[in-house]
């Protein structure tokens, strides 16, 4: 019986590994500029970085997107093929109750229309989604896809004024 007890103890200690003393930092969501390390693909161009910073500065505390949207999500949920662009900044909210998003795409010239169509399709799907929080409906309706040269933007940002919030979606 002693042998079995010792074997069992040996088995328990053999299968247990010591817990790491420090948590890996990889698991933490990042609020840094999107890059391969925290989600989106490739290096962000200087132009997109400048635009992104200007948008964040303009909105100040009302800029809610604080989490990079990864390349797989951009392709699966937004329809953005990574072959269509050279640089991208894509952020959404960490809290699902918020709908705010900022996507800035430096599209390849031959794919500007593809990117625009994919982002408009995503926007149309948001508008058709009847499961939205009622407070977000006016914000979704006000969202836009804009094209400037080979840059395509999906903008779903801003605060809803109290008087609009009180009236509701009528």
């Amino acid at each position: 019986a002693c042998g079995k007890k010792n074997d069992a103890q040996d088995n328990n200690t053999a299968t247990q590994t010591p817990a790491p003393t420090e948590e890996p930092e990889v698991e933490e969501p990042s609020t840094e500029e999107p890059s391969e390390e925290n989600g989106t693909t490739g290096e962000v161009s200087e132009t997109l970085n400048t635009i992104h910073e200007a948008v964040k500065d303009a909105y100040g505390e009302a800029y809610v997107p604080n989490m990079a949207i990864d390349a797989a999500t951009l392709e699966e949920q937004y329809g953005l093929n990574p072959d269509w662009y050279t640089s991208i900044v894509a952020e959404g909210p960490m809290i699902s109750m918020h709908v705010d998003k900022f996507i800035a795409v430096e599209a390849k010239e031959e794919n500007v229309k593809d990117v625009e169509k994919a982002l408009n399709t995503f926007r149309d799907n948001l508008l058709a989604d009847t499961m939205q929080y009622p407070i977000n409906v006016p914000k979704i309706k006000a969202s836009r896809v804009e094209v400037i040269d080979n840059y395509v933007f999906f903008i779903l940002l801003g605060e809803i004024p109290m008087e609009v919030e009180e009236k509701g979606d009528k």
Side-chain angles (χ1 to χ4, degrees):
C2 287
K4 286 184 181 179
K5 185 175 181 185
N6 288 341
D7 288 345
Q9 286 174 342
D10 288 341
N11 285 343
N12 284 341
T13 53
T15 58
Q16 294 177 352
T17 55
T21 55
E22 294 181 23
E23 289 294 317
E25 292 181 28
V26 180
E27 299 298 321
E28 292 296 315
S30 176
T31 57
E32 297 174 356
E33 289 304 312
S35 67
E36 286 184 37
E37 288 79 36
N38 66 9
T40 58
T41 58
E43 291 296 315
V44 175
S45 73
E46 187 176 331
T47 302
L48 286 187
N49 190 38
T50 301
I51 292 168
H52 184 222
E53 287 303 316
V55 169
K56 288 183 352 184
D57 289 345
Y59 280 91
E61 290 183 19
Y63 186 86
V64 176
N66 55 358
M67 188 172 71
I69 301 171
D70 64 65
T73 301
L74 288 170
E75 188 166 13
E76 292 166 15
Q77 294 181 12
Y78 296 78
L80 293 174
N81 183 327
D83 294 335
W84 293 348
Y85 53 85
T86 58
S87 184
I88 191 165
V89 172
E91 290 186 321
M94 202 175 295
I95 300 171
S96 64
M97 182 178 103
H98 297 290
V99 292
D100 297 56
K101 290 174 186 33
F102 178 74
I103 301 174
V105 181
E106 187 174 344
K108 294 177 181 174
E109 280 189 45
E110 65 272 16
N111 298 111
V112 171
K113 293 289 183 196
D114 298 320
V115 172
E116 180 183 21
K117 182 179 178 186
L119 291 176
N120 271 314
T121 298
F122 176 77
R123 181 179 181 272
D124 291 344
N125 290 338
L126 281 178
L127 288 167
D129 183 359
T130 59
M131 298 302 290
Q132 295 289 344
Y133 287 101
I135 190 63
N136 289 330
V137 172
K139 192 181 281 191
I140 292 168
K141 286 182 178 180
S143 68
R144 295 286 175 262
V145 174
E146 296 290 335
V147 179
I148 302 168
D149 297 325
N150 66 315
Y151 296 93
V152 185
F153 302 91
F154 176 68
I155 303 162
L156 176 52
L157 300 170
E159 293 182 304
I160 299 171
M162 188 58 72
E163 61 271 10
V164 172
E165 191 175 324
E166 288 172 354
K167 277 199 253 180
D169 185 37
K170 294 179 182 178

